Amino acid sequence: MNKIPFVDLKAQYHSIRSEIDAAMQQVMEQTAFIGGNNSFVQQFEQAFSQYLGIKHVMSCGNGTDSLEILLKAYGIGTGDEVIVPAMSWISTSEVVSAVGARPVFVDIDPVYYTIDPSKIEAAITSRTKAIIPVHLYGQPADMDPIMSLAATHNLIVIEDCAQAHGALYNGKMVGTIGHASSFSFYPGKNLGAYGDAGAMATNDDRIAAVCRMIANHGQQGKHNHIMEGRNSRLDGLQAAVLAAKLPHLKQWTLLRQQHAQQFNSLLQHPSIVTPQVSPSGAHVFHLYVVQVPDRNQLAQHLKEKGIETAVHYPVALPFLTCYQHYQHTSEQFPVAASFQDKIISLPMYAELTMETIAYISEQVKQLI
Ligand SMILES: *Cc1c(COP(=O)(O)O)cnc(C)c1O
């Protein structure tokens, strides 16, 4: 077997090379790199809003900016609290601190790994303004109880969809269930650009307009800065790449789901916990994460066999050094605390073959 990478962006590029090259060529011919009325950016925003079935898609520089811009657009800042899951990429909590608010962590569900809705209410205080559920690894968070808690306590729900383009919750596209949502198009995401890119989505006209303003220096029309904003733009080249890739997303997602099913059946073993799909959700398997007794030993063994793995994430958010001033304890987040030491992410991308999945599974079982 050749070396098996964790993600194979080259294989994807080669499978759609003529489309990508033609799209990028067009942008360069028109030198349509940046600009308020960039037609490539507008076309992608429109295509993505149609894909989601949502009124507004506002593109921006990356998925971290999109979360932060949304928090600002909802007026969240100093003195406020925002509830986030204990297991995610740091962007989810980092943006809360960036606007001056405090991230309040809630443990994850032991079976589905998304924020545990039964533990949210205890974390709500008079300062709580919003909840950011994360559709972690591509599995939709349990949105129904989250939305009803939010209604009861008058909270904003911002979905972090960075790992879950196209995932469904009770038949609904994630990113259309909360008040607004955030997407990342980082190259390795299920829909990835060839550089940094992100977007916000909402059905709320006012929030859409405020987000656009914040991302564009607070301008309402040229040189009319009604507030201070920032520069966070999707550029023409990235927009053209994303527009060329979007029509393939459905097929790529289907393949990821098939690969996950094959892994699940080949990895049946009393010492391996394979991912379970919630009955309300259609998981899009951005990551294929299993729990094993000795994660580090398995990673070493697979590395020797030429199989690349990763860990998402080795330290749960509450326990990161940057949050040690909050003095979190593992008793507060028992699920995340034990989960972080057992997880390992196996290679997962549409271009994986059945033979490769069989080989990886065989190597995993050899060690367990
Ligand atoms: C990737 C990711 C982000 C941030 O996206 P960037 O485009 O890298 O800024 C935010 N949240 C989650 C859960 C992510 O996986």
PDB file of all heavy atoms in Angstrom, residues 62-64 88-89 91-92 134 160 162-163 184 189, ligand 1:
ATOM      1  N   ASN A  62     -13.125  34.033   6.503  1.00  0.00           N
ATOM      2  CA  ASN A  62     -12.925  32.682   7.038  1.00  0.00           C
ATOM      3  C   ASN A  62     -14.036  32.366   8.047  1.00  0.00           C
ATOM      4  O   ASN A  62     -14.837  33.234   8.384  1.00  0.00           O
ATOM      5  CB  ASN A  62     -11.535  32.564   7.698  1.00  0.00           C
ATOM      6  CG  ASN A  62     -11.346  33.569   8.813  1.00  0.00           C
ATOM      7  OD1 ASN A  62     -11.982  33.483   9.857  1.00  0.00           O
ATOM      8  ND2 ASN A  62     -10.497  34.559   8.587  1.00  0.00           N
ATOM      9  N   GLY A  63     -14.033  31.138   8.537  1.00  0.00           N
ATOM     10  CA  GLY A  63     -15.107  30.694   9.424  1.00  0.00           C
ATOM     11  C   GLY A  63     -15.024  31.266  10.837  1.00  0.00           C
ATOM     12  O   GLY A  63     -16.021  31.309  11.549  1.00  0.00           O
ATOM     13  N   THR A  64     -13.839  31.677  11.246  1.00  0.00           N
ATOM     14  CA  THR A  64     -13.702  32.304  12.563  1.00  0.00           C
ATOM     15  C   THR A  64     -14.295  33.711  12.518  1.00  0.00           C
ATOM     16  O   THR A  64     -15.074  34.099  13.406  1.00  0.00           O
ATOM     17  CB  THR A  64     -12.214  32.360  12.984  1.00  0.00           C
ATOM     18  OG1 THR A  64     -11.650  31.061  12.837  1.00  0.00           O
ATOM     19  CG2 THR A  64     -12.060  32.827  14.415  1.00  0.00           C
ATOM     20  N   SER A  88     -14.797  21.223  20.682  1.00  0.00           N
ATOM     21  CA  SER A  88     -14.880  21.857  19.365  1.00  0.00           C
ATOM     22  C   SER A  88     -13.496  22.372  19.026  1.00  0.00           C
ATOM     23  O   SER A  88     -12.566  22.273  19.837  1.00  0.00           O
ATOM     24  CB  SER A  88     -15.876  23.019  19.359  1.00  0.00           C
ATOM     25  OG  SER A  88     -15.995  23.596  18.066  1.00  0.00           O
ATOM     26  N   TRP A  89     -13.357  22.922  17.821  1.00  0.00           N
ATOM     27  CA  TRP A  89     -12.167  23.682  17.466  1.00  0.00           C
ATOM     28  C   TRP A  89     -12.245  25.013  18.207  1.00  0.00           C
ATOM     29  O   TRP A  89     -13.336  25.515  18.476  1.00  0.00           O
ATOM     30  CB  TRP A  89     -12.113  23.876  15.947  1.00  0.00           C
ATOM     31  CG  TRP A  89     -11.047  24.796  15.459  1.00  0.00           C
ATOM     32  CD1 TRP A  89     -11.216  25.949  14.741  1.00  0.00           C
ATOM     33  CD2 TRP A  89      -9.630  24.642  15.629  1.00  0.00           C
ATOM     34  NE1 TRP A  89     -10.000  26.511  14.469  1.00  0.00           N
ATOM     35  CE2 TRP A  89      -9.006  25.740  15.000  1.00  0.00           C
ATOM     36  CE3 TRP A  89      -8.836  23.683  16.262  1.00  0.00           C
ATOM     37  CZ2 TRP A  89      -7.617  25.913  14.986  1.00  0.00           C
ATOM     38  CZ3 TRP A  89      -7.456  23.856  16.256  1.00  0.00           C
ATOM     39  CH2 TRP A  89      -6.865  24.960  15.613  1.00  0.00           C
ATOM     40  N   SER A  91     -12.018  28.056  17.585  1.00  0.00           N
ATOM     41  CA  SER A  91     -12.748  29.207  17.027  1.00  0.00           C
ATOM     42  C   SER A  91     -14.066  29.448  17.750  1.00  0.00           C
ATOM     43  O   SER A  91     -14.453  30.591  18.002  1.00  0.00           O
ATOM     44  CB  SER A  91     -13.068  28.974  15.547  1.00  0.00           C
ATOM     45  OG  SER A  91     -11.906  28.842  14.796  1.00  0.00           O
ATOM     46  N   THR A  92     -14.773  28.359  18.065  1.00  0.00           N
ATOM     47  CA  THR A  92     -16.113  28.464  18.649  1.00  0.00           C
ATOM     48  C   THR A  92     -16.117  29.268  19.949  1.00  0.00           C
ATOM     49  O   THR A  92     -17.059  30.029  20.209  1.00  0.00           O
ATOM     50  CB  THR A  92     -16.686  27.048  18.913  1.00  0.00           C
ATOM     51  OG1 THR A  92     -16.468  26.246  17.752  1.00  0.00           O
ATOM     52  CG2 THR A  92     -18.165  27.099  19.220  1.00  0.00           C
ATOM     53  N   VAL A 134     -22.404  23.330  17.899  1.00  0.00           N
ATOM     54  CA  VAL A 134     -21.482  22.952  16.819  1.00  0.00           C
ATOM     55  C   VAL A 134     -21.930  21.603  16.268  1.00  0.00           C
ATOM     56  O   VAL A 134     -22.170  20.672  17.039  1.00  0.00           O
ATOM     57  CB  VAL A 134     -20.034  22.838  17.348  1.00  0.00           C
ATOM     58  CG1 VAL A 134     -19.082  22.409  16.241  1.00  0.00           C
ATOM     59  CG2 VAL A 134     -19.581  24.161  17.964  1.00  0.00           C
ATOM     60  N   ASP A 160     -22.745  26.648  14.405  1.00  0.00           N
ATOM     61  CA  ASP A 160     -21.402  26.540  13.828  1.00  0.00           C
ATOM     62  C   ASP A 160     -21.399  25.328  12.895  1.00  0.00           C
ATOM     63  O   ASP A 160     -21.325  24.184  13.332  1.00  0.00           O
ATOM     64  CB  ASP A 160     -20.354  26.397  14.939  1.00  0.00           C
ATOM     65  CG  ASP A 160     -18.928  26.411  14.387  1.00  0.00           C
ATOM     66  OD1 ASP A 160     -18.750  26.177  13.183  1.00  0.00           O
ATOM     67  OD2 ASP A 160     -17.992  26.639  15.183  1.00  0.00           O
ATOM     68  N   ALA A 162     -19.191  24.715  10.454  1.00  0.00           N
ATOM     69  CA  ALA A 162     -17.899  24.607   9.777  1.00  0.00           C
ATOM     70  C   ALA A 162     -17.574  23.181   9.338  1.00  0.00           C
ATOM     71  O   ALA A 162     -16.860  22.971   8.363  1.00  0.00           O
ATOM     72  CB  ALA A 162     -16.789  25.122  10.697  1.00  0.00           C
ATOM     73  N   GLN A 163     -18.119  22.183  10.067  1.00  0.00           N
ATOM     74  CA  GLN A 163     -17.803  20.787   9.747  1.00  0.00           C
ATOM     75  C   GLN A 163     -19.001  20.056   9.150  1.00  0.00           C
ATOM     76  O   GLN A 163     -18.983  18.833   9.061  1.00  0.00           O
ATOM     77  CB  GLN A 163     -17.336  20.061  11.028  1.00  0.00           C
ATOM     78  CG  GLN A 163     -16.139  20.736  11.683  1.00  0.00           C
ATOM     79  CD  GLN A 163     -15.565  19.961  12.864  1.00  0.00           C
ATOM     80  OE1 GLN A 163     -16.074  18.913  13.234  1.00  0.00           O
ATOM     81  NE2 GLN A 163     -14.492  20.489  13.437  1.00  0.00           N
ATOM     82  N   SER A 184     -17.336  27.587   7.413  1.00  0.00           N
ATOM     83  CA  SER A 184     -15.936  27.754   7.023  1.00  0.00           C
ATOM     84  C   SER A 184     -15.727  26.999   5.722  1.00  0.00           C
ATOM     85  O   SER A 184     -16.281  25.918   5.537  1.00  0.00           O
ATOM     86  CB  SER A 184     -15.012  27.171   8.092  1.00  0.00           C
ATOM     87  OG  SER A 184     -13.700  27.004   7.565  1.00  0.00           O
ATOM     88  N   LYS A 189     -12.222  21.368   4.658  1.00  0.00           N
ATOM     89  CA  LYS A 189     -13.629  21.166   5.058  1.00  0.00           C
ATOM     90  C   LYS A 189     -14.402  20.464   3.932  1.00  0.00           C
ATOM     91  O   LYS A 189     -13.910  20.361   2.812  1.00  0.00           O
ATOM     92  CB  LYS A 189     -14.268  22.523   5.401  1.00  0.00           C
ATOM     93  CG  LYS A 189     -13.568  23.252   6.568  1.00  0.00           C
ATOM     94  CD  LYS A 189     -13.913  22.667   7.927  1.00  0.00           C
ATOM     95  CE  LYS A 189     -12.910  22.983   8.999  1.00  0.00           C
ATOM     96  NZ  LYS A 189     -13.126  24.155   9.808  1.00  0.00           N
TER      97      LYS A 189
HETATM   98  C1  LIG B   1     -12.771  25.066  10.951  1.00  0.00           C
HETATM   99  C2  LIG B   1     -13.652  25.472  12.048  1.00  0.00           C
HETATM  100  C3  LIG B   1     -13.918  26.821  12.358  1.00  0.00           C
HETATM  101  C4  LIG B   1     -13.145  27.974  11.787  1.00  0.00           C
HETATM  102  O1  LIG B   1     -12.994  28.067  10.461  1.00  0.00           O
HETATM  103  P1  LIG B   1     -11.756  28.853   9.800  1.00  0.00           P
HETATM  104  O2  LIG B   1     -12.240  29.060   8.413  1.00  0.00           O
HETATM  105  O3  LIG B   1     -10.571  27.966   9.887  1.00  0.00           O
HETATM  106  O4  LIG B   1     -11.579  30.131  10.527  1.00  0.00           O
HETATM  107  C5  LIG B   1     -14.866  27.110  13.309  1.00  0.00           C
HETATM  108  N1  LIG B   1     -15.508  26.145  13.969  1.00  0.00           N
HETATM  109  C6  LIG B   1     -15.264  24.835  13.745  1.00  0.00           C
HETATM  110  C7  LIG B   1     -16.032  23.811  14.508  1.00  0.00           C
HETATM  111  C8  LIG B   1     -14.309  24.455  12.788  1.00  0.00           C
HETATM  112  O5  LIG B   1     -14.067  23.157  12.584  1.00  0.00           O
END
